[in-house]
Amino acid sequence: MSFRVAISGLKAASGDLGVIANNVANATTNGFKKSRAEFSDVFAVTDLGSSTSTPGSGVRLAAITQQFTQGNITFTDNNLDLAISGRGFFVVDDAGTQVYTRAGSFGVDREGFLSNSQGKQLIAFSADSSGNITGAASPMQINTASIPPQATSTMTVNLNLDAAESPPAIAFDPNNPASFNHSTSTSIIDTLGSTHLASLYYRKTATPNQWETYTLVDGVTVGGPDSVQFSSGGILTVPAGGSLSIPSFTPAGGGGAMTLTLNYADSTQFGSPFSVNALSQDGFATGRLSGLDIGPDGIIFARFTNGQSRVEGQLALADFANPQGLSPLSETTWGETFSSGSVVVGAPGTSSLGLIQSGALEDSNVEISEELVNMIIAQRSFQANAEVISTTDAVTQSIINLR
């Protein structure tokens, strides 16, 4: 009987050492979660119960449970390295089966999918053409195509015209600075994505608080004279609502016809020097994908060389009522089981789900010093059980040797 009890102790200690060895081996594995061996005693029990004078029958390895505590977060130089701060798992597609992981080392594969080094594709909520998250979850595929150009349709002009200025003495000529009071310029984009210089000229009229404006593109007049008027308090009154429409024109270079709206709503005429506070336009040239940014809420932004950005989707995170019930799979992934409960998928930062840290990876939660202590304890347990066998053998030999 003592032999069997001691052998069960040896097996338990050996199992404990196996768990410790696996923890130590994965001390540098990103997203790895350490395990703990749990034991239970064994008693011989009949239908009538167990005897109070019968010793136990040993020990058995009852379970190996995973410890889903947060690992340290280490920052990297790759925006697609992702760490979860808090609860949750990344959802990845493994050849049509959804599995779950805390290892967030991802990249863009040749087909544009966000995937890890094992080819498992990251699941995310898709976005529509306006950048709104739709709620449909699928493998995240980045649209790597260039953004087509957008022709300028609106220019926002925020300036102050000096109320103390006097009207010019001669008729308007863009080549004669004496024929206008002030001018400013900015670049606009045509339908092909080519750049053109739009110049705005201002000359005060003899009518109080009234100015004329001329619009030239590449030196060619496309608008004007148009009236801009202010109240006695320097607030814009004409054009109504601040919007001045320029007739359709076709710039040089093969692009299509363009129409411009100049928004003067925030412009003023105060008794201070001429100043341009803001001058912008809504067009942009074609752009190539230059990078990806992922925010704490999991929103995936694609950045382009023309300064534009586009929402590609939002990462999906999974959570379970009992994460310890998940089935460990290879490559630092887990599978759903009856014991874990049904998966709950949501956006980062919602419900109990954690936030995303881009450019970072979650370290293994294994503490080497703790594992070394556990190793010593398991070793002593193994040695003690081996000593029980040795002692029992000596006693047995003494009985055999009785004459």
Side-chain angles (χ1 to χ4, degrees):
M1 182 66 176
S2 298
F3 281 111
R4 290 198 299 271
V5 172
I7 289 173
S8 73
L10 289 176
K11 290 181 178 180
S14 179
D16 195 11
L17 283 170
V19 172
I20 295 169
N22 187 61
N23 288 342
V24 172
N26 286 281
T28 58
T29 302
N30 292 124
F32 178 80
K33 297 304 176 184
K34 64 183 179 182
S35 298
R36 181 180 69 189
E38 297 180 354
F39 305 97
S40 62
D41 56 1
V42 178
F43 278 86
V45 179
T46 68
D47 292 339
L48 298 178
S50 61
S51 171
T52 57
S53 61
T54 302
S57 299
V59 64
R60 68 181 181 89
L61 182 61
I64 298 176
T65 59
Q66 298 168 97
Q67 309 300 304
F68 286 95
T69 55
Q70 177 79 48
N72 293 329
I73 292 179
T74 300
F75 293 94
T76 71
D77 295 328
N78 181 7
N79 278 355
L80 295 183
D81 284 341
L82 306 175
I84 302 173
S85 179
R87 290 178 63 97
F89 298 83
F90 296 112
V91 186
V92 293
D93 183 272
D94 184 13
T97 300
Q98 285 191 357
V99 295
Y100 311 95
T101 183
R102 294 278 296 195
S105 180
F106 295 102
V108 180
D109 66 17
R110 64 180 183 180
E111 295 178 343
F113 288 98
L114 292 183
S115 60
N116 60 20
S117 57
Q118 293 82 41
K120 297 179 175 63
Q121 297 170 344
L122 185 62
I123 300 294
F125 300 111
S126 58
D128 60 21
S129 59
S130 300
N132 300 312
I133 304 302
T134 63
S138 61
M140 185 71 248
Q141 186 175 28
I142 303 299
N143 183 359
T144 58
S146 296
I147 287 183
Q150 175 178 293
T152 301
S153 61
T154 300
M155 292 177 59
T156 299
V157 185
N158 180 350
L159 49 79
N160 179 71
L161 296 169
D162 190 352
E165 295 275 356
S166 299
I170 58 177
F172 174 69
D173 179 0
N175 298 313
N176 186 354
S179 68
F180 55 89
N181 297 87
H182 302 287
S183 67
T184 186
S185 300
T186 189
S187 295
I188 61 173
I189 309 297
D190 68 13
T191 56
L192 296 177
S194 300
T195 301
H196 302 271
L197 183 66
S199 301
L200 305 175
Y201 294 84
Y202 303 94
R203 53 180 278 136
K204 197 170 186 181
T205 69
T207 303
N209 303 321
Q210 185 183 65
W211 296 71
E212 288 179 345
T213 177
Y214 295 81
T215 304
L216 280 71
V217 175
D218 295 334
V220 178
T221 301
V222 297
D226 295 302
S227 178
V228 177
Q229 297 183 28
F230 299 88
S231 69
S232 58
I235 305 302
L236 185 76
T237 57
V238 176
S243 294
L244 180 63
S245 296
I246 303 299
S248 176
F249 65 94
T250 301
M258 297 176 61
T259 57
L260 279 178
T261 299
L262 306 182
N263 183 1
Y264 283 97
D266 293 326
S267 293
T268 58
Q269 180 200 246
F270 296 139
S272 58
F274 173 80
S275 62
V276 179
N277 303 315
L279 185 59
S280 61
Q281 53 86 33
D282 62 353
F284 50 82
T286 185
R288 300 183 306 276
L289 181 67
S290 62
L292 295 172
D293 292 324
I294 300 177
D297 56 359
I299 297 292
I300 304 168
F301 289 95
R303 290 183 284 105
F304 295 85
T305 54
N306 58 1
Q308 300 299 305
S309 62
R310 180 174 65 204
V311 175
E312 295 287 331
Q314 184 177 28
L315 295 182
L317 292 185
D319 198 11
F320 299 86
N322 176 29
Q324 288 188 337
L326 290 170
S327 173
L329 307 173
S330 61
E331 298 166 342
T332 326
T333 59
W334 291 269
E336 178 183 347
T337 68
F338 178 80
S339 178
S340 69
S342 298
V343 63
V344 178
V345 178
T350 62
S351 187
S352 61
L353 295 171
L355 297 173
I356 300 298
Q357 178 64 62
S358 177
L361 291 171
E362 182 184 4
D363 296 339
S364 167
N365 65 351
V366 173
E367 291 287 345
I368 290 293
S369 57
E370 179 184 343
E371 297 302 321
L372 292 176
V373 172
N374 292 337
M375 191 184 304
I376 293 172
I377 295 172
Q379 179 186 16
R380 289 180 176 175
S381 175
F382 192 95
Q383 291 172 337
N385 281 283
E387 188 64 30
V388 170
I389 293 177
S390 178
T391 302
T392 303
D393 180 62
V395 171
T396 302
Q397 288 297 325
S398 297
I399 294 174
I400 293 174
N401 292 334
L402 289 176
R403 294 290 190 269

PDB file of all heavy atoms in Angstrom, residues 14 85 90 103 106 133 142 145 173 184 191 199 213 249 375 399:
ATOM      1  N   SER A  14       6.181  14.700 -10.446  1.00  0.00           N
ATOM      2  CA  SER A  14       6.652  14.722 -11.828  1.00  0.00           C
ATOM      3  C   SER A  14       5.743  15.585 -12.705  1.00  0.00           C
ATOM      4  O   SER A  14       6.221  16.350 -13.551  1.00  0.00           O
ATOM      5  CB  SER A  14       6.717  13.297 -12.376  1.00  0.00           C
ATOM      6  OG  SER A  14       7.154  13.289 -13.719  1.00  0.00           O
ATOM      7  N   SER A  85      -4.657  45.751 -22.978  1.00  0.00           N
ATOM      8  CA  SER A  85      -4.536  46.178 -21.589  1.00  0.00           C
ATOM      9  C   SER A  85      -5.884  45.944 -20.915  1.00  0.00           C
ATOM     10  O   SER A  85      -6.816  46.728 -21.067  1.00  0.00           O
ATOM     11  CB  SER A  85      -4.139  47.659 -21.520  1.00  0.00           C
ATOM     12  OG  SER A  85      -4.035  48.089 -20.185  1.00  0.00           O
ATOM     13  N   PHE A  90      -7.708  38.575 -28.725  1.00  0.00           N
ATOM     14  CA  PHE A  90      -7.840  38.813 -30.156  1.00  0.00           C
ATOM     15  C   PHE A  90      -8.557  37.606 -30.764  1.00  0.00           C
ATOM     16  O   PHE A  90      -8.334  36.463 -30.360  1.00  0.00           O
ATOM     17  CB  PHE A  90      -6.473  38.967 -30.812  1.00  0.00           C
ATOM     18  CG  PHE A  90      -5.696  40.163 -30.337  1.00  0.00           C
ATOM     19  CD1 PHE A  90      -4.546  39.990 -29.579  1.00  0.00           C
ATOM     20  CD2 PHE A  90      -6.111  41.445 -30.636  1.00  0.00           C
ATOM     21  CE1 PHE A  90      -3.821  41.074 -29.133  1.00  0.00           C
ATOM     22  CE2 PHE A  90      -5.389  42.548 -30.197  1.00  0.00           C
ATOM     23  CZ  PHE A  90      -4.244  42.364 -29.443  1.00  0.00           C
ATOM     24  N   ALA A 103      -1.472  36.944 -28.029  1.00  0.00           N
ATOM     25  CA  ALA A 103      -0.246  37.292 -28.747  1.00  0.00           C
ATOM     26  C   ALA A 103      -0.611  38.193 -29.922  1.00  0.00           C
ATOM     27  O   ALA A 103      -1.336  37.780 -30.821  1.00  0.00           O
ATOM     28  CB  ALA A 103       0.460  36.032 -29.230  1.00  0.00           C
ATOM     29  N   PHE A 106       1.256  41.127 -35.378  1.00  0.00           N
ATOM     30  CA  PHE A 106       0.557  41.011 -36.656  1.00  0.00           C
ATOM     31  C   PHE A 106       1.291  41.791 -37.739  1.00  0.00           C
ATOM     32  O   PHE A 106       2.133  42.649 -37.472  1.00  0.00           O
ATOM     33  CB  PHE A 106      -0.884  41.530 -36.534  1.00  0.00           C
ATOM     34  CG  PHE A 106      -1.738  40.723 -35.607  1.00  0.00           C
ATOM     35  CD1 PHE A 106      -2.018  41.177 -34.320  1.00  0.00           C
ATOM     36  CD2 PHE A 106      -2.244  39.501 -35.989  1.00  0.00           C
ATOM     37  CE1 PHE A 106      -2.798  40.437 -33.454  1.00  0.00           C
ATOM     38  CE2 PHE A 106      -3.036  38.733 -35.128  1.00  0.00           C
ATOM     39  CZ  PHE A 106      -3.309  39.214 -33.857  1.00  0.00           C
ATOM     40  N   ILE A 133     -18.470  52.129 -38.684  1.00  0.00           N
ATOM     41  CA  ILE A 133     -18.327  50.714 -38.362  1.00  0.00           C
ATOM     42  C   ILE A 133     -19.679  50.038 -38.520  1.00  0.00           C
ATOM     43  O   ILE A 133     -20.676  50.477 -37.937  1.00  0.00           O
ATOM     44  CB  ILE A 133     -17.782  50.535 -36.931  1.00  0.00           C
ATOM     45  CG1 ILE A 133     -16.455  51.289 -36.773  1.00  0.00           C
ATOM     46  CG2 ILE A 133     -17.593  49.063 -36.625  1.00  0.00           C
ATOM     47  CD1 ILE A 133     -15.379  50.857 -37.735  1.00  0.00           C
ATOM     48  N   ILE A 142      -6.927  44.900 -45.611  1.00  0.00           N
ATOM     49  CA  ILE A 142      -6.652  46.304 -45.873  1.00  0.00           C
ATOM     50  C   ILE A 142      -6.726  46.571 -47.371  1.00  0.00           C
ATOM     51  O   ILE A 142      -6.141  45.832 -48.170  1.00  0.00           O
ATOM     52  CB  ILE A 142      -5.270  46.708 -45.328  1.00  0.00           C
ATOM     53  CG1 ILE A 142      -5.182  46.412 -43.824  1.00  0.00           C
ATOM     54  CG2 ILE A 142      -4.991  48.172 -45.597  1.00  0.00           C
ATOM     55  CD1 ILE A 142      -6.178  47.154 -42.984  1.00  0.00           C
ATOM     56  N   ALA A 145      -5.155  49.720 -52.401  1.00  0.00           N
ATOM     57  CA  ALA A 145      -5.219  50.499 -53.636  1.00  0.00           C
ATOM     58  C   ALA A 145      -5.015  51.984 -53.340  1.00  0.00           C
ATOM     59  O   ALA A 145      -5.349  52.475 -52.261  1.00  0.00           O
ATOM     60  CB  ALA A 145      -6.553  50.279 -54.334  1.00  0.00           C
ATOM     61  N   ASP A 173      -5.376  95.193 -62.454  1.00  0.00           N
ATOM     62  CA  ASP A 173      -4.415  94.473 -63.280  1.00  0.00           C
ATOM     63  C   ASP A 173      -3.584  93.604 -62.341  1.00  0.00           C
ATOM     64  O   ASP A 173      -2.839  94.141 -61.504  1.00  0.00           O
ATOM     65  CB  ASP A 173      -3.520  95.441 -64.032  1.00  0.00           C
ATOM     66  CG  ASP A 173      -2.474  94.723 -64.900  1.00  0.00           C
ATOM     67  OD1 ASP A 173      -2.464  93.468 -64.907  1.00  0.00           O
ATOM     68  OD2 ASP A 173      -1.681  95.423 -65.555  1.00  0.00           O
ATOM     69  N   THR A 184      -3.528  86.903 -51.968  1.00  0.00           N
ATOM     70  CA  THR A 184      -3.044  85.685 -51.309  1.00  0.00           C
ATOM     71  C   THR A 184      -3.248  84.525 -52.266  1.00  0.00           C
ATOM     72  O   THR A 184      -4.063  84.618 -53.213  1.00  0.00           O
ATOM     73  CB  THR A 184      -3.786  85.432 -49.980  1.00  0.00           C
ATOM     74  OG1 THR A 184      -3.172  84.322 -49.310  1.00  0.00           O
ATOM     75  CG2 THR A 184      -5.255  85.099 -50.205  1.00  0.00           C
ATOM     76  N   THR A 191      -9.283  67.531 -61.497  1.00  0.00           N
ATOM     77  CA  THR A 191      -9.895  66.194 -61.504  1.00  0.00           C
ATOM     78  C   THR A 191      -8.889  65.078 -61.748  1.00  0.00           C
ATOM     79  O   THR A 191      -9.186  63.912 -61.490  1.00  0.00           O
ATOM     80  CB  THR A 191     -10.984  66.121 -62.594  1.00  0.00           C
ATOM     81  OG1 THR A 191     -10.406  66.461 -63.863  1.00  0.00           O
ATOM     82  CG2 THR A 191     -12.124  67.084 -62.274  1.00  0.00           C
ATOM     83  N   SER A 199      -5.085  82.239 -57.034  1.00  0.00           N
ATOM     84  CA  SER A 199      -4.721  83.519 -56.430  1.00  0.00           C
ATOM     85  C   SER A 199      -5.975  84.364 -56.233  1.00  0.00           C
ATOM     86  O   SER A 199      -6.833  84.440 -57.133  1.00  0.00           O
ATOM     87  CB  SER A 199      -3.721  84.279 -57.312  1.00  0.00           C
ATOM     88  OG  SER A 199      -2.545  83.504 -57.502  1.00  0.00           O
ATOM     89  N   THR A 213     -13.313  91.327 -55.185  1.00  0.00           N
ATOM     90  CA  THR A 213     -12.348  90.223 -55.187  1.00  0.00           C
ATOM     91  C   THR A 213     -12.302  89.589 -56.570  1.00  0.00           C
ATOM     92  O   THR A 213     -13.339  89.472 -57.254  1.00  0.00           O
ATOM     93  CB  THR A 213     -12.722  89.165 -54.125  1.00  0.00           C
ATOM     94  OG1 THR A 213     -11.796  88.081 -54.202  1.00  0.00           O
ATOM     95  CG2 THR A 213     -14.125  88.625 -54.317  1.00  0.00           C
ATOM     96  N   PHE A 249     -14.939  76.472 -64.775  1.00  0.00           N
ATOM     97  CA  PHE A 249     -13.766  76.737 -65.602  1.00  0.00           C
ATOM     98  C   PHE A 249     -13.002  75.439 -65.788  1.00  0.00           C
ATOM     99  O   PHE A 249     -13.155  74.495 -65.017  1.00  0.00           O
ATOM    100  CB  PHE A 249     -12.872  77.801 -64.957  1.00  0.00           C
ATOM    101  CG  PHE A 249     -12.269  77.363 -63.643  1.00  0.00           C
ATOM    102  CD1 PHE A 249     -11.004  76.789 -63.583  1.00  0.00           C
ATOM    103  CD2 PHE A 249     -12.985  77.501 -62.455  1.00  0.00           C
ATOM    104  CE1 PHE A 249     -10.466  76.375 -62.381  1.00  0.00           C
ATOM    105  CE2 PHE A 249     -12.440  77.101 -61.245  1.00  0.00           C
ATOM    106  CZ  PHE A 249     -11.181  76.524 -61.200  1.00  0.00           C
ATOM    107  N   MET A 375       9.939  24.982  -8.382  1.00  0.00           N
ATOM    108  CA  MET A 375      10.747  23.848  -8.814  1.00  0.00           C
ATOM    109  C   MET A 375      11.430  23.181  -7.620  1.00  0.00           C
ATOM    110  O   MET A 375      11.489  21.948  -7.526  1.00  0.00           O
ATOM    111  CB  MET A 375      11.803  24.322  -9.823  1.00  0.00           C
ATOM    112  CG  MET A 375      12.535  23.192 -10.550  1.00  0.00           C
ATOM    113  SD  MET A 375      13.832  23.842 -11.640  1.00  0.00           S
ATOM    114  CE  MET A 375      12.881  24.969 -12.662  1.00  0.00           C
ATOM    115  N   ILE A 399      11.084  -7.708   7.100  1.00  0.00           N
ATOM    116  CA  ILE A 399      10.025  -8.723   7.356  1.00  0.00           C
ATOM    117  C   ILE A 399      10.382 -10.016   6.645  1.00  0.00           C
ATOM    118  O   ILE A 399      10.226 -11.125   7.194  1.00  0.00           O
ATOM    119  CB  ILE A 399       8.676  -8.182   6.886  1.00  0.00           C
ATOM    120  CG1 ILE A 399       8.245  -6.977   7.741  1.00  0.00           C
ATOM    121  CG2 ILE A 399       7.610  -9.271   6.933  1.00  0.00           C
ATOM    122  CD1 ILE A 399       6.993  -6.295   7.262  1.00  0.00           C
TER     123      ILE A 399
END
